[in-house]
Amino acid sequence: MRTGIIACLIFLTGCAAPPDRPVVIQGMTMGTNYTITLSQQPEKPIEILQAEIDATLKSINLKMSTYLSQSELSIINQTQSQDWLPLSPELYEVISTAMEISHLTNGAFDITVGKLVNLWGFGPGEITANIPEELTIKSALKTSGYQHIDLKKQPYALKKGHPAIYLDLSGIAKGYAVDRIYDLLDQQGFSGFLVDIGGEVKAKGVRNNQAAWRIGVEKPMVEGSEIQRVVNLSNQAMATSGDYRNYIVHNGKRFSHTIDPRTGRPIPHELLSVSVVDDSAMVADALATALLVMGTEKGIEFAEQKNITAYFIKAASGTMSESYTRQFLPYLSNN
């Protein structure tokens, strides 16, 4: 789940915002909400700008969704061939980045986890309380693993090492979409704006009052919404991965929707939420998922070693506590 970031702004929606107030554009994409906040009035009508934003997001969704049966990704998942399968440049970029992070994290992030996600009832469709048998999990693990994916550039193509491999980009695609909308607005000359898609954010410049964008990291609560920390962000992205609302309960036991690709099982530890700051929302998105899978101690150790700007919230004995890497400290707001 990625709803752990709240933009700390007083939004003024609509087309006739005063020049000293932010202009806000909102819509739906990828099964979630998006909010674009502009520090300046656009030169073109807001309706035209939103149409351009929506067209970009629709194009991404048609390439990377597992919920759309005719998306580029779904067709690859349905194909049993082990020959080279052509890829669009956009899908190649996301999958190749995912592969790099899989290698970096030794499989804590792995887009071939899709079959296991579906097995536990967290895939396309309604969440179901499926508790698979051990033999079923072992069988699914045999048809997963980033090592079974090959990529090539000329032309862009992918080859499956096993015909049943099922790719799931839910841990990286929204971050990619944030980067693309950021680029769209940047190329049109906007000097200050904030892109938020389902809690993944990227900020350009400053707000109207010449201060950094203030982003709230949500307190991991099953119900309600409160801010745990405020982060100052400018010309960077932040993504949060958490498991505190998306889960199933079976026989009184809670099972997280975050599946450890290495074990095929929901993560068992008490880490509730991880936020990562990076130049790329796509990279921050994937790294936040990987660190959540690792758990607090291993995640912090890994993040420190790899110079990752990360913030962790865990629960122990009913009490929440926070930790962060030294790289994250400069981003924390005093308020």
Side-chain angles (χ1 to χ4, degrees):
M1 145 179 202
R2 285 162 182 83
T3 55
I5 296 177
I6 307 170
C8 299
L9 298 167
I10 300 174
F11 288 139
L12 180 64
T13 57
C15 302
D20 61 337
R21 300 296 296 276
V23 176
V24 176
I25 301 172
Q26 296 176 311
M28 295 288 296
T29 187
M30 298 181 175
T32 189
N33 302 310
Y34 76 77
T35 301
I36 313 298
T37 308
L38 308 172
S39 289
Q40 64 199 90
Q41 288 282 344
E43 295 182 358
K44 64 180 69 175
I46 289 180
E47 293 83 1
I48 294 178
L49 179 59
Q50 180 156 20
E52 294 172 352
I53 291 168
D54 286 339
T56 301
L57 293 172
K58 181 179 180 181
S59 175
I60 294 170
N61 211 26
L62 286 171
K63 292 179 174 66
M64 304 182 192
S65 173
T66 56
Y67 289 76
L68 300 177
S69 61
Q70 293 304 306
S71 73
E72 183 180 356
L73 184 68
S74 290
I75 291 172
I76 289 172
N77 284 335
Q78 296 159 16
T79 301
Q80 298 295 300
S81 171
Q82 290 180 260
D83 296 330
W84 286 104
L85 305 173
L87 293 177
S88 64
E90 296 86 355
L91 192 56
Y92 174 87
E93 180 182 357
V94 173
I95 293 177
S96 62
T97 300
M99 295 287 285
E100 291 174 5
I101 295 175
S102 293
H103 284 285
L104 177 70
T105 62
N106 293 317
F109 180 81
D110 191 337
I111 59 172
T112 69
V113 76
K115 179 168 285 190
L116 290 158
V117 171
N118 296 344
L119 189 64
W120 282 90
F122 293 110
E126 293 185 8
I127 294 176
T128 57
N130 290 336
I131 306 300
E133 296 181 356
E134 182 66 27
L135 287 177
T136 308
I137 295 172
K138 288 182 178 179
S139 177
L141 282 169
K142 291 179 181 178
T143 61
S144 64
Y146 66 95
Q147 303 90 340
H148 302 305
I149 293 293
D150 289 319
L151 292 174
K152 68 176 180 180
K153 271 189 174 182
Q154 297 180 345
Y156 294 124
L158 172 148
K159 181 190 286 188
K160 296 181 179 183
H162 192 287
I165 281 179
Y166 185 102
L167 306 179
D168 185 338
L169 302 179
S170 59
I172 193 169
K174 280 201 285 290
Y176 173 80
V178 169
D179 286 333
R180 295 291 70 78
I181 299 303
Y182 180 98
D183 291 343
L184 172 68
L185 297 173
D186 189 40
Q187 290 164 7
Q188 295 193 24
F190 289 99
S191 59
F193 56 84
L194 180 70
V195 180
D196 178 348
I197 301 179
E200 321 293 37
V201 302
K202 191 169 186 178
K204 171 71 182 291
V206 295
R207 295 180 292 157
N208 298 60
N209 60 3
Q210 302 302 306
W213 295 93
R214 290 163 53 79
I215 312 300
V217 177
E218 191 176 35
K219 183 175 290 186
M221 302 165 60
V222 175
E223 296 180 356
S225 179
E226 293 182 18
I227 292 174
Q228 174 79 12
R229 278 283 193 170
V230 175
V231 176
N232 294 319
L233 208 63
S234 181
N235 301 322
Q236 284 187 299
M238 183 165 70
T240 292
S241 184
D243 76 335
Y244 48 93
R245 287 196 187 133
N246 196 355
Y247 59 89
I248 58 175
V249 177
H250 183 76
N251 292 334
K253 185 176 180 180
R254 183 177 180 276
F255 293 89
S256 166
H257 84 293
T258 303
I259 307 299
D260 187 334
R262 303 163 299 185
T263 66
R265 296 179 172 278
I267 55 175
H269 47 71
E270 296 174 319
L271 181 58
L272 299 177
S273 171
V274 180
S275 299
V276 172
V277 174
D278 193 86
D279 292 339
S280 162
M282 173 171 57
V283 171
D285 195 359
L287 286 176
T289 300
L291 295 175
L292 184 68
V293 167
M294 292 180 192
T296 309
E297 289 74 20
K298 291 182 179 178
I300 291 176
E301 181 182 4
F302 178 86
E304 290 283 7
Q305 290 175 350
K306 302 299 182 182
N307 202 34
I308 297 170
T309 304
Y311 172 76
F312 303 77
I313 305 175
K314 73 173 183 177
S317 302
T319 302
M320 287 188 193
S321 62
E322 61 180 15
S323 306
Y324 43 84
T325 60
R326 63 184 183 278
Q327 295 87 353
F328 198 87
L329 184 60
Y331 296 92
L332 291 176
S333 171
N334 293 326
N335 299 317

